[in-house]
Amino acid sequence: MLKHEIAEKIANVNMFEIAQKTEYKANLLTNDEKEIVAELDKWAKEIGETGADPDRQIASFIRKTVEEEVYNAPEEILDMMFNRGSIGEFDDYKATVMAKNKLQAYEAAKGGNVDRSYLDISVLKPAWKHLQVETDISYADLRRNGWKTVATLTNFAVETLKNKMFQILFNIVDTGIKSGAENYINETTAKPTQATMDAMALYINDRADGQGVIVTLSKYIQAASKLTGFVSDEMRNEVHRTGRLGSYDGVTMAQISGAHKLADGSTQLKDKRMYGIAGKIGDCDMKGDVRVYETMDDDNEIVKIKVTGFEFGYSFNADTLEKICKVVLA
Protein backbone atom coordinates (compact mmCIF):
# COMPACT_ATOMS: atom_id res chain seq x y z
CA MET A 1 0.00 0.00 0.00
CA LEU A 2 1.30 3.46 -0.85
CA LYS A 3 2.16 5.80 1.96
CA HIS A 4 -0.48 8.44 2.61
CA GLU A 5 2.02 11.26 1.96
CA ILE A 6 3.02 9.81 -1.41
CA ALA A 7 -0.63 9.27 -2.36
CA GLU A 8 -1.28 12.95 -1.65
CA LYS A 9 1.69 14.00 -3.80
CA ILE A 10 0.50 11.79 -6.64
CA ALA A 11 -2.90 13.47 -6.56
CA ASN A 12 -1.27 16.82 -7.29
CA VAL A 13 1.20 15.97 -10.06
CA ASN A 14 0.96 15.19 -13.75
CA MET A 15 1.29 11.41 -13.72
CA PHE A 16 1.70 11.25 -17.49
CA GLU A 17 4.72 13.53 -17.28
CA ILE A 18 6.25 11.35 -14.57
CA ALA A 19 5.53 8.22 -16.61
CA GLN A 20 7.18 9.80 -19.67
CA LYS A 21 10.25 10.83 -17.72
CA THR A 22 10.48 7.36 -16.18
CA GLU A 23 10.33 5.77 -19.62
CA TYR A 24 12.49 8.16 -21.63
CA LYS A 25 14.29 10.81 -19.52
CA ALA A 26 14.81 9.59 -15.95
CA ASN A 27 17.60 12.15 -15.48
CA LEU A 28 15.01 14.96 -15.69
CA LEU A 29 13.01 13.77 -12.67
CA THR A 30 12.90 16.33 -9.86
CA ASN A 31 13.75 15.30 -6.29
CA ASP A 32 10.04 15.12 -5.40
CA GLU A 33 9.37 13.04 -8.50
CA LYS A 34 12.25 10.71 -7.66
CA GLU A 35 10.72 10.17 -4.21
CA ILE A 36 7.37 9.36 -5.79
CA VAL A 37 8.95 7.00 -8.32
CA ALA A 38 10.90 5.20 -5.59
CA GLU A 39 7.70 4.53 -3.65
CA LEU A 40 5.84 3.53 -6.82
CA ASP A 41 8.66 1.13 -7.64
CA LYS A 42 8.34 -0.60 -4.27
CA TRP A 43 4.57 -0.78 -4.67
CA ALA A 44 4.72 -2.26 -8.21
CA LYS A 45 7.35 -4.85 -7.23
CA GLU A 46 5.25 -5.88 -4.24
CA ILE A 47 2.31 -6.55 -6.56
CA GLY A 48 4.61 -8.73 -8.69
CA GLU A 49 5.63 -10.65 -5.56
CA THR A 50 2.17 -11.11 -4.03
CA GLY A 51 -0.17 -11.01 -7.05
CA ALA A 52 -2.40 -8.68 -5.04
CA ASP A 53 -3.64 -5.17 -5.87
CA PRO A 54 -6.89 -5.01 -3.86
CA ASP A 55 -7.47 -1.30 -4.49
CA ARG A 56 -6.92 -1.65 -8.26
CA GLN A 57 -4.26 1.04 -8.12
CA ILE A 58 -2.62 0.02 -11.41
CA ALA A 59 -5.94 0.69 -13.13
CA SER A 60 -6.29 4.01 -11.26
CA PHE A 61 -2.85 5.18 -12.39
CA ILE A 62 -3.51 4.30 -16.02
CA ARG A 63 -6.95 5.92 -16.04
CA LYS A 64 -5.66 9.12 -14.40
CA THR A 65 -2.73 9.50 -16.76
CA VAL A 66 -4.68 8.67 -19.92
CA GLU A 67 -7.39 11.19 -19.06
CA GLU A 68 -4.89 13.90 -18.11
CA GLU A 69 -3.12 13.60 -21.43
CA VAL A 70 -6.04 12.96 -23.78
CA TYR A 71 -8.58 15.37 -22.31
CA ASN A 72 -6.32 18.24 -21.23
CA ALA A 73 -3.19 18.28 -23.40
CA PRO A 74 -3.25 20.46 -26.53
CA GLU A 75 -3.15 18.69 -29.89
CA GLU A 76 -2.36 21.51 -32.26
CA ILE A 77 -3.31 19.92 -35.58
CA LEU A 78 -6.68 18.55 -34.46
CA ASP A 79 -7.37 21.82 -32.63
CA MET A 80 -6.89 23.66 -35.92
CA MET A 81 -9.43 21.40 -37.63
CA PHE A 82 -12.13 21.09 -34.98
CA ASN A 83 -13.81 22.82 -32.09
CA ARG A 84 -12.83 20.49 -29.25
CA GLY A 85 -14.83 19.66 -26.15
CA SER A 86 -16.31 16.87 -24.07
CA ILE A 87 -19.73 15.68 -22.91
CA GLY A 88 -21.02 13.12 -20.42
CA GLU A 89 -21.19 9.42 -21.22
CA PHE A 90 -24.99 9.40 -21.48
CA ASP A 91 -25.36 12.82 -23.08
CA ASP A 92 -25.94 13.46 -26.76
CA TYR A 93 -26.11 16.57 -28.84
CA LYS A 94 -26.46 17.96 -32.32
CA ALA A 95 -23.82 20.22 -33.78
CA THR A 96 -24.72 23.40 -35.66
CA VAL A 97 -22.27 23.96 -38.50
CA MET A 98 -22.35 27.25 -40.39
CA ALA A 99 -21.74 26.60 -44.08
CA LYS A 100 -20.19 29.06 -46.50
CA ASN A 101 -22.01 32.25 -47.45
CA LYS A 102 -24.35 31.53 -50.37
CA LEU A 103 -26.29 34.78 -50.29
CA GLN A 104 -26.41 36.44 -53.72
CA ALA A 105 -26.66 40.15 -54.56
CA TYR A 106 -28.45 41.32 -57.71
CA GLU A 107 -28.81 44.67 -59.39
CA ALA A 108 -32.43 45.75 -58.93
CA ALA A 109 -34.72 48.69 -59.39
CA LYS A 110 -35.56 50.53 -56.19
CA GLY A 111 -38.54 48.87 -54.53
CA GLY A 112 -38.24 45.83 -56.77
CA ASN A 113 -37.64 42.17 -55.90
CA VAL A 114 -34.89 39.68 -56.76
CA ASP A 115 -34.48 35.91 -56.39
CA ARG A 116 -34.06 34.78 -52.81
CA SER A 117 -30.88 33.11 -51.66
CA TYR A 118 -30.32 31.26 -48.41
CA LEU A 119 -27.75 30.43 -45.77
CA ASP A 120 -27.29 26.68 -45.41
CA ILE A 121 -26.98 26.23 -41.65
CA SER A 122 -26.56 22.50 -41.09
CA VAL A 123 -27.65 20.73 -37.92
CA LEU A 124 -25.61 17.54 -37.75
CA LYS A 125 -25.76 14.52 -35.48
CA PRO A 126 -22.16 13.56 -34.66
CA ALA A 127 -20.77 10.20 -35.71
CA TRP A 128 -19.20 8.37 -32.77
CA LYS A 129 -16.13 6.15 -32.62
CA HIS A 130 -15.13 4.02 -29.64
CA LEU A 131 -11.57 2.76 -29.08
CA GLN A 132 -10.38 0.12 -26.64
CA VAL A 133 -7.04 -1.43 -25.65
CA GLU A 134 -6.52 -4.73 -23.82
CA THR A 135 -3.19 -6.11 -22.65
CA ASP A 136 -1.40 -8.02 -19.88
CA ILE A 137 1.34 -7.22 -17.39
CA SER A 138 3.27 -10.21 -16.11
CA TYR A 139 4.08 -10.54 -12.43
CA ALA A 140 7.67 -11.23 -13.50
CA ASP A 141 7.89 -7.86 -15.29
CA LEU A 142 6.58 -6.11 -12.17
CA ARG A 143 9.14 -7.87 -9.99
CA ARG A 144 11.95 -7.08 -12.44
CA ASN A 145 11.15 -3.52 -13.56
CA GLY A 146 8.67 -2.30 -10.97
CA TRP A 147 7.06 1.08 -11.68
CA LYS A 148 8.72 1.34 -15.10
CA THR A 149 6.50 -1.52 -16.28
CA VAL A 150 3.39 0.51 -15.40
CA ALA A 151 4.91 3.71 -16.85
CA THR A 152 5.70 1.99 -20.16
CA LEU A 153 2.19 0.58 -20.43
CA THR A 154 0.70 3.98 -19.64
CA ASN A 155 2.80 5.77 -22.29
CA PHE A 156 1.98 3.20 -24.92
CA ALA A 157 -1.75 3.25 -24.10
CA VAL A 158 -1.91 7.03 -24.48
CA GLU A 159 0.15 6.94 -27.67
CA THR A 160 -1.95 4.15 -29.19
CA LEU A 161 -5.31 5.78 -28.46
CA LYS A 162 -4.29 9.26 -29.62
CA ASN A 163 -2.58 8.01 -32.78
CA LYS A 164 -5.58 5.87 -33.72
CA MET A 165 -8.00 8.78 -33.22
CA PHE A 166 -5.75 11.03 -35.34
CA GLN A 167 -5.61 8.38 -38.07
CA ILE A 168 -9.38 7.81 -38.06
CA LEU A 169 -10.19 11.52 -38.33
CA PHE A 170 -7.75 12.12 -41.19
CA ASN A 171 -9.00 9.02 -43.03
CA ILE A 172 -12.56 10.35 -42.77
CA VAL A 173 -11.47 13.76 -44.08
CA ASP A 174 -9.50 12.04 -46.86
CA THR A 175 -12.57 10.06 -47.94
CA GLY A 176 -14.71 13.20 -47.93
CA ILE A 177 -12.51 15.07 -50.45
CA LYS A 178 -13.44 13.58 -53.82
CA SER A 179 -11.52 13.63 -57.09
CA GLY A 180 -12.55 16.59 -59.21
CA ALA A 181 -13.41 18.81 -56.24
CA GLU A 182 -11.77 22.22 -55.95
CA ASN A 183 -9.91 21.09 -52.83
CA TYR A 184 -8.54 17.96 -54.54
CA ILE A 185 -5.09 18.56 -56.07
CA ASN A 186 -3.67 15.79 -58.21
CA GLU A 187 0.11 15.37 -58.55
CA THR A 188 1.50 13.17 -61.33
CA THR A 189 4.87 12.60 -59.63
CA ALA A 190 5.87 10.71 -56.47
CA LYS A 191 7.10 13.87 -54.76
CA PRO A 192 5.56 17.35 -54.49
CA THR A 193 6.54 19.78 -57.23
CA GLN A 194 6.76 23.53 -56.91
CA ALA A 195 3.53 23.91 -58.94
CA THR A 196 1.69 21.63 -56.51
CA MET A 197 3.12 23.36 -53.44
CA ASP A 198 2.22 26.77 -54.90
CA ALA A 199 -1.35 25.60 -55.57
CA MET A 200 -1.65 24.19 -52.08
CA ALA A 201 -0.26 27.31 -50.38
CA LEU A 202 -2.52 29.55 -52.45
CA TYR A 203 -5.58 27.47 -51.58
CA ILE A 204 -4.77 27.70 -47.86
CA ASN A 205 -3.83 31.38 -47.83
CA ASP A 206 -7.03 32.31 -49.69
CA ARG A 207 -9.17 30.61 -47.02
CA ALA A 208 -7.14 30.69 -43.82
CA ASP A 209 -8.82 31.97 -40.68
CA GLY A 210 -5.36 32.55 -39.25
CA GLN A 211 -2.11 30.67 -39.79
CA GLY A 212 -2.66 27.75 -42.16
CA VAL A 213 -0.70 24.51 -42.01
CA ILE A 214 0.42 21.76 -44.39
CA VAL A 215 0.40 18.31 -42.76
CA THR A 216 2.09 15.30 -44.33
CA LEU A 217 4.67 12.58 -43.75
CA SER A 218 8.24 13.69 -43.06
CA LYS A 219 9.58 12.50 -46.42
CA TYR A 220 7.29 14.87 -48.32
CA ILE A 221 8.19 17.84 -46.07
CA GLN A 222 11.85 17.08 -46.78
CA ALA A 223 11.20 16.92 -50.53
CA ALA A 224 9.22 20.17 -50.52
CA SER A 225 12.01 21.86 -48.54
CA LYS A 226 14.53 21.12 -51.26
CA LEU A 227 12.61 22.46 -54.25
CA THR A 228 14.82 24.79 -56.26
CA GLY A 229 12.28 27.19 -57.79
CA PHE A 230 13.09 29.89 -55.29
CA VAL A 231 15.96 29.64 -52.84
CA SER A 232 17.67 32.07 -50.50
CA ASP A 233 20.73 31.75 -48.30
CA GLU A 234 18.43 31.87 -45.26
CA MET A 235 16.38 28.95 -46.61
CA ARG A 236 19.50 26.95 -47.44
CA ASN A 237 20.83 27.49 -43.94
CA GLU A 238 17.54 26.39 -42.40
CA VAL A 239 17.48 23.18 -44.44
CA HIS A 240 21.13 22.42 -43.61
CA ARG A 241 20.47 23.08 -39.93
CA THR A 242 17.13 21.28 -39.45
CA GLY A 243 16.71 19.12 -42.56
CA ARG A 244 13.57 20.96 -43.63
CA LEU A 245 11.86 24.33 -43.97
CA GLY A 246 9.38 25.37 -41.30
CA SER A 247 7.03 27.01 -43.79
CA TYR A 248 6.24 27.36 -47.49
CA ASP A 249 4.84 30.66 -48.85
CA GLY A 250 3.79 31.66 -45.35
CA VAL A 251 2.13 28.34 -44.56
CA THR A 252 3.56 26.31 -41.66
CA MET A 253 4.66 22.78 -42.59
CA ALA A 254 4.03 20.10 -39.94
CA GLN A 255 5.59 16.69 -40.40
CA ILE A 256 4.22 13.37 -39.18
CA SER A 257 6.83 10.65 -38.76
CA GLY A 258 6.56 7.81 -41.24
CA ALA A 259 8.75 5.67 -38.99
CA HIS A 260 6.39 5.75 -36.01
CA LYS A 261 3.78 3.23 -37.06
CA LEU A 262 0.70 1.90 -35.34
CA ALA A 263 0.74 -1.72 -34.20
CA ASP A 264 -0.85 -2.85 -37.49
CA GLY A 265 2.05 -1.31 -39.45
CA SER A 266 0.08 1.68 -40.76
CA THR A 267 1.13 5.31 -40.40
CA GLN A 268 -0.95 8.07 -38.80
CA LEU A 269 -1.43 9.64 -42.23
CA LYS A 270 -1.98 7.81 -45.49
CA ASP A 271 1.05 7.59 -47.74
CA LYS A 272 1.05 9.69 -50.94
CA ARG A 273 -1.05 12.37 -49.25
CA MET A 274 -0.56 15.99 -48.23
CA TYR A 275 -3.24 18.00 -46.43
CA GLY A 276 -3.63 21.75 -46.21
CA ILE A 277 -5.65 23.07 -43.27
CA ALA A 278 -7.06 26.59 -43.52
CA GLY A 279 -9.41 26.50 -40.52
CA LYS A 280 -11.94 24.55 -38.50
CA ILE A 281 -14.38 22.29 -40.30
CA GLY A 282 -16.63 21.30 -37.40
CA ASP A 283 -16.68 19.73 -33.96
CA CYS A 284 -14.81 16.86 -32.32
CA ASP A 285 -15.78 15.94 -28.76
CA MET A 286 -14.77 13.31 -26.25
CA LYS A 287 -17.68 11.45 -24.64
CA GLY A 288 -17.67 10.20 -21.07
CA ASP A 289 -14.57 9.11 -19.19
CA VAL A 290 -11.91 6.54 -19.88
CA ARG A 291 -12.40 3.40 -17.77
CA VAL A 292 -9.65 0.94 -16.88
CA TYR A 293 -10.43 -2.56 -15.61
CA GLU A 294 -7.85 -4.71 -13.87
CA THR A 295 -8.06 -8.46 -13.22
CA MET A 296 -5.43 -10.50 -11.37
CA ASP A 297 -4.84 -13.88 -13.04
CA ASP A 298 -2.75 -15.91 -10.57
CA ASP A 299 -2.88 -19.05 -12.69
CA ASN A 300 -0.99 -17.33 -15.50
CA GLU A 301 0.78 -14.82 -13.22
CA ILE A 302 -0.46 -11.80 -15.17
CA VAL A 303 -2.50 -8.66 -14.57
CA LYS A 304 -5.15 -8.29 -17.28
CA ILE A 305 -5.71 -4.64 -18.23
CA LYS A 306 -8.64 -3.31 -20.26
CA VAL A 307 -8.71 0.38 -21.26
CA THR A 308 -12.15 1.32 -22.58
CA GLY A 309 -14.54 4.26 -22.80
CA PHE A 310 -12.30 6.22 -25.20
CA GLU A 311 -15.15 7.60 -27.31
CA PHE A 312 -15.10 10.60 -29.60
CA GLY A 313 -17.59 12.13 -32.02
CA TYR A 314 -17.05 14.33 -35.07
CA SER A 315 -19.32 16.43 -37.27
CA PHE A 316 -18.74 18.51 -40.39
CA ASN A 317 -20.33 18.93 -43.82
CA ALA A 318 -19.22 19.27 -47.43
CA ASP A 319 -19.08 23.07 -47.31
CA THR A 320 -16.97 23.28 -44.16
CA LEU A 321 -14.68 20.54 -45.50
CA GLU A 322 -13.58 23.07 -48.12
CA LYS A 323 -11.33 24.49 -45.37
CA ILE A 324 -9.05 21.50 -46.06
CA CYS A 325 -7.38 20.60 -49.35
CA LYS A 326 -5.78 17.30 -50.26
CA VAL A 327 -2.84 16.53 -52.55
CA VAL A 328 -2.69 13.01 -53.98
CA LEU A 329 0.79 12.00 -55.11
CA ALA A 330 1.48 9.36 -57.75
Side-chain angles (χ1 to χ4, degrees), residues 209-220:
D209 296 333
Q211 177 72 48
V213 63
I214 293 169
V215 184
T216 187
L217 296 177
S218 304
K219 60 184 178 181
Y220 300 125

Side-chain angles (χ1 to χ4, degrees), residues 157-312:
V158 169
E159 180 181 307
T160 298
L161 292 166
K162 290 178 69 174
N163 287 352
K164 189 64 178 179
M165 179 173 74
F166 188 96
Q167 183 190 66
I168 287 172
L169 290 171
F170 265 91
N171 284 349
I172 290 164
V173 166
D174 185 89
T175 300
I177 301 176
K178 306 295 185 183
S179 177
E182 187 179 4
N183 55 343
Y184 183 104
I185 302 171
N186 191 53
E187 173 58 74
T188 58
T189 66
K191 294 181 180 180
T193 61
Q194 185 176 341
T196 293
M197 293 300 296
D198 287 349
M200 195 177 198
L202 177 61
Y203 188 95
I204 297 168
N205 285 327
D206 273 352
R207 295 162 178 80
D209 296 333
Q211 177 72 48
V213 63
I214 293 169
V215 184
T216 187
L217 296 177
S218 304
K219 60 184 178 181
Y220 300 125
I221 295 290
Q222 184 184 62
S225 298
K226 296 181 179 180
L227 293 172
T228 58
F230 59 96
V231 182
S232 66
D233 289 340
E234 182 180 353
M235 292 167 66
R236 288 192 188 93
N237 290 336
E238 184 177 357
V239 172
H240 287 315
R241 187 175 64 254
T242 67
R244 67 183 187 91
L245 294 175
S247 62
Y248 186 98
D249 268 7
V251 180
T252 299
M253 294 199 292
Q255 62 181 10
I256 301 296
S257 173
H260 296 165
K261 294 181 169 60
L262 278 65
D264 62 3
S266 62
T267 51
Q268 283 180 268
L269 291 182
K270 286 185 176 181
D271 195 12
K272 301 182 180 180
R273 293 291 194 277
M274 302 180 76
Y275 302 94
I277 302 170
K280 297 182 188 295
I281 62 172
D283 295 340
C284 180
D285 294 282
M286 304 301 299
K287 187 173 187 178
D289 298 317
V290 171
R291 303 183 302 281
V292 182
Y293 301 113
E294 170 187 345
T295 304
M296 311 303 291
D297 182 351
D298 291 344
D299 290 339
N300 294 297
E301 296 193 7
I302 58 174
V303 187
K304 295 180 178 178
I305 299 293
K306 178 178 181 179
V307 183
T308 189
F310 188 99
E311 190 169 8
F312 62 95

Side-chain angles (χ1 to χ4, degrees), residues 28-170:
L28 297 182
L29 287 166
T30 66
N31 289 334
D32 283 346
E33 289 170 343
K34 287 177 182 177
E35 182 183 351
I36 290 171
V37 166
E39 290 297 325
L40 290 172
D41 204 46
K42 294 177 187 176
W43 157 78
K45 287 179 178 177
E46 184 178 339
I47 294 173
E49 291 285 350
T50 64
D53 184 16
D55 296 326
R56 302 291 192 269
Q57 288 186 320
I58 292 178
S60 295
F61 280 128
I62 296 171
R63 182 196 59 76
K64 184 177 187 293
T65 51
V66 169
E67 285 194 342
E68 280 178 350
E69 178 62 12
V70 172
Y71 285 74
N72 299 323
E75 298 173 284
E76 288 82 1
I77 293 174
L78 293 184
D79 287 345
M80 289 189 68
M81 295 168 60
F82 297 100
N83 299 308
R84 307 290 297 280
S86 61
I87 63 172
E89 178 182 1
F90 303 108
D91 295 337
D92 211 344
Y93 74 102
K94 292 182 179 179
T96 300
V97 180
M98 178 66 78
K100 64 182 180 181
N101 187 355
K102 294 184 177 180
L103 296 181
Q104 297 185 50
Y106 300 89
E107 288 190 51
K110 288 184 178 180
N113 298 104
V114 298
D115 292 339
R116 290 184 176 183
S117 54
Y118 302 91
L119 289 177
D120 177 15
I121 301 175
S122 300
V123 178
L124 305 175
K125 189 174 179 63
W128 295 100
K129 298 287 185 180
H130 181 266
L131 302 181
Q132 186 167 301
V133 172
E134 296 189 37
T135 188
D136 300 331
I137 304 174
S138 75
Y139 292 177
D141 282 343
L142 287 170
R143 292 194 300 271
R144 182 185 305 111
N145 297 313
W147 159 245
K148 188 172 182 180
T149 299
V150 181
T152 300
L153 173 61
T154 302
N155 276 302
F156 286 0
V158 169
E159 180 181 307
T160 298
L161 292 166
K162 290 178 69 174
N163 287 352
K164 189 64 178 179
M165 179 173 74
F166 188 96
Q167 183 190 66
I168 287 172
L169 290 171
F170 265 91

